[in-house]
Amino acid sequence: MRVLYVSPNGYLGGAEKVVINLAQGHLQENTYDPLILFYSDGEAVNAARDMGIKCIVMTQAFRLSRPLLLCKGLWEIRQIIERVNPQIVHSTMAYSHLTISLASMGLSLKKVWFQHGPVGQLLDKLASFFPVDMLFFNSSFLQKLHHRSLPEVKVRLQEAVICLGVTDQMTSPKTNYSSQLRIGCAGRISRFRSFETVIKALSELKENYPLRPFKLSIAGSPKTQTDHEYYQELVILVETLQLKNDVYFVGHQNDMKEYYKGIDVFIHSAIAPEPFGLAAAEAMSHGCLTIGSDMGGISDFLINDVTGFTYSSAGQLKIILARIFTEDMESFKEVVQAGLEQIHEKHSIQGMTKQVEGLYGVLTLDR
């Protein structure tokens, strides 16, 4: 049975990883025939094809604000749907659901919308006028947020929170800790990540604990002009605080697995609540002691002093880091192990695939 996954972005972000992981899971289980329709080319397309996943990249670029181009794009989407003839169309995020709904009017399709967030913005509101058979969320936090936003989409059959799968999981904590405390942050270099909060906290701790060597590696790159301005502010901050030998901007990482191997502590520093927090889950799955804010979807799996540590202010973050600075990493093994088990039990690719395929089974039985 063919499932057409629709991804509006060709770059490899969290939502795109979910689509690719699901398609790969279908191939491994040999149950559904996945095909991914990308609206643009990019790293995600290459990653999917490297895994043997069939992909279609649209030839017609379009925008909602350009009516003529929009009509041409929707016509191409409709032709692809008619040619591929999927039993289920799975739209990633609001933009996909909106455009698929417009392009497939009059066609008999089972439609799934995977709401990865954010919710409540204009595209999300427009997409909500079009009903779906099933609506998926990547966290209970996002589901609650969605229901507080208007208009609320009509769901014909079922809603579900999907336990996102995380790849390349370890089974036991690290044992190769060095005398240098290796700390990491990851994500797009954007102001909402609040990397400066981490940098300032580490600067104070360096003054208080001068004999404790550390290295902070920030993985990610700026995208917009505003992001580039923020990046320059961070570079100046590092120089001003005399941390050039302690803080490194390592840029975008094609292989995050190797990045996680090279750190012991991961800090999820976003100040705005994120729908899920994939980087934090990935870090936990690679045996990193993980610290994150107590807001958003991350609270589904990051439990304070159980599977990691959470904070709600810069002051609390400094207290947590001070404890890590003064204790041996071996003393956090139980927390790291609990984090590993949490991700292994609830966030495997196989588990996510089986959950989604079970829901697809309900769809296909519906007449």
Side-chain angles (χ1 to χ4, degrees):
M1 187 167 293
R2 174 158 290 176
V3 182
L4 178 64
Y5 286 93
V6 185
S7 174
N9 302 316
Y11 63 77
L12 193 57
E16 293 72 36
K17 285 182 180 179
V18 172
V19 169
I20 292 171
N21 288 339
L22 274 172
Q24 187 182 28
H26 294 319
L27 293 178
Q28 291 172 348
E29 296 292 326
N30 196 28
T31 45
Y32 287 82
D33 178 21
L35 175 65
I36 305 178
L37 169 60
F38 288 98
Y39 287 177
S40 61
D41 208 344
E43 185 186 3
V45 182
N46 296 331
R49 285 175 172 162
D50 287 345
M51 295 177 183
I53 301 167
K54 292 176 286 187
C55 301
I56 298 174
V57 180
M58 286 186 60
T59 60
Q60 179 66 59
F62 65 93
R63 291 183 180 179
L64 293 177
S65 58
R66 303 284 297 275
L68 182 58
L69 289 178
L70 174 61
C71 289
K72 289 181 178 179
L74 294 177
W75 178 246
E76 182 179 356
I77 294 172
R78 188 179 183 91
Q79 288 180 311
I80 291 169
I81 292 174
E82 290 178 339
R83 183 174 72 250
V84 170
N85 190 29
Q87 282 70 49
I88 299 170
V89 177
H90 176 127
S91 296
T92 303
M93 299 183 292
Y95 190 63
S96 293
H97 173 56
L98 174 59
T99 50
I100 286 294
S101 296
L102 291 170
S104 64
M105 282 185 174
L107 300 179
S108 179
L109 294 170
K110 298 295 186 181
K111 294 177 184 176
V112 174
W113 173 12
F114 201 141
Q115 176 65 283
H116 290 269
V119 301
Q121 297 183 352
L122 178 59
L123 277 178
D124 190 60
K125 290 180 182 295
L126 290 173
S128 294
F129 282 105
F130 295 90
V132 291
D133 294 289
M134 285 190 173
L135 180 62
F136 296 167
F137 300 93
N138 60 13
S139 68
S140 54
F141 162 78
L142 192 66
Q143 185 181 33
K144 293 173 185 175
L145 204 63
H146 172 85
H147 286 297
R148 292 202 295 265
S149 177
L150 295 174
E152 191 167 333
V153 63
K154 180 181 178 182
V155 182
R156 200 172 64 83
L157 284 178
Q158 191 172 345
E159 289 185 8
V161 174
I162 305 300
C163 295
L164 299 191
V166 177
T167 58
D168 303 318
Q169 298 184 17
M170 295 175 60
T171 55
S172 59
K174 298 179 180 183
T175 57
N176 59 335
Y177 296 120
S178 67
S179 57
Q180 183 186 53
L181 186 60
R182 302 175 299 177
I183 305 169
C185 292
R188 181 178 130 194
I189 305 294
S190 186
R191 200 171 295 278
F192 88 93
R193 292 284 176 190
S194 191
F195 293 128
E196 76 277 5
T197 303
V198 179
I199 294 170
K200 290 176 181 178
L202 290 174
S203 175
E204 290 188 31
L205 290 165
K206 183 178 181 179
E207 291 182 10
N208 296 333
Y209 307 100
L211 299 181
R212 181 56 154 137
F214 71 89
K215 173 184 175 182
L216 171 64
S217 301
I218 300 177
S221 59
K223 292 186 180 297
T224 68
Q225 179 61 36
T226 304
D227 291 347
H228 283 280
E229 292 170 1
Y230 175 62
Y231 172 69
Q232 290 303 320
E233 291 176 19
L234 292 177
V235 171
I236 294 170
L237 178 64
V238 169
E239 293 176 351
T240 302
L241 297 177
Q242 300 181 350
L243 295 174
K244 288 182 68 175
N245 295 324
D246 306 297
V247 178
Y248 298 85
F249 297 94
V250 299
H252 174 74
Q253 301 293 297
N254 290 324
D255 188 355
M256 286 298 292
K257 177 172 63 175
E258 291 302 315
Y259 172 77
Y260 293 127
K261 283 182 180 179
I263 62 173
D264 304 316
V265 178
F266 181 82
I267 303 175
H268 186 266
S269 57
I271 54 174
E274 287 195 294
F276 180 69
L278 182 61
E282 288 178 342
M284 290 169 67
S285 77
H286 284 83
C288 300
L289 177 62
T290 301
I291 305 167
S293 64
D294 57 3
M295 304 178 294
I298 194 173
S299 59
D300 278 5
F301 56 87
L302 187 62
I303 304 166
N304 189 45
D305 216 11
V306 178
T307 61
F309 296 107
T310 64
Y311 66 94
S312 58
S313 66
Q316 288 182 350
L317 174 60
K318 280 186 282 187
I319 292 171
I320 294 168
L321 287 173
R323 179 181 171 187
I324 294 170
F325 264 64
T326 55
E327 295 185 29
D328 193 279
M329 283 300 300
E330 293 286 336
S331 64
F332 301 104
K333 265 194 170 182
E334 288 187 8
V335 175
V336 173
Q337 181 65 47
L340 277 169
E341 292 174 358
Q342 172 86 348
I343 301 301
H344 182 72
E345 292 172 6
K346 296 186 178 180
H347 294 279
S348 69
I349 300 296
Q350 185 181 34
M352 175 179 69
T353 303
K354 286 185 175 180
Q355 183 187 9
V356 169
E357 288 186 349
L359 291 163
Y360 286 171
V362 175
L363 264 182
T364 55
L365 289 173
D366 178 63
R367 293 290 184 267

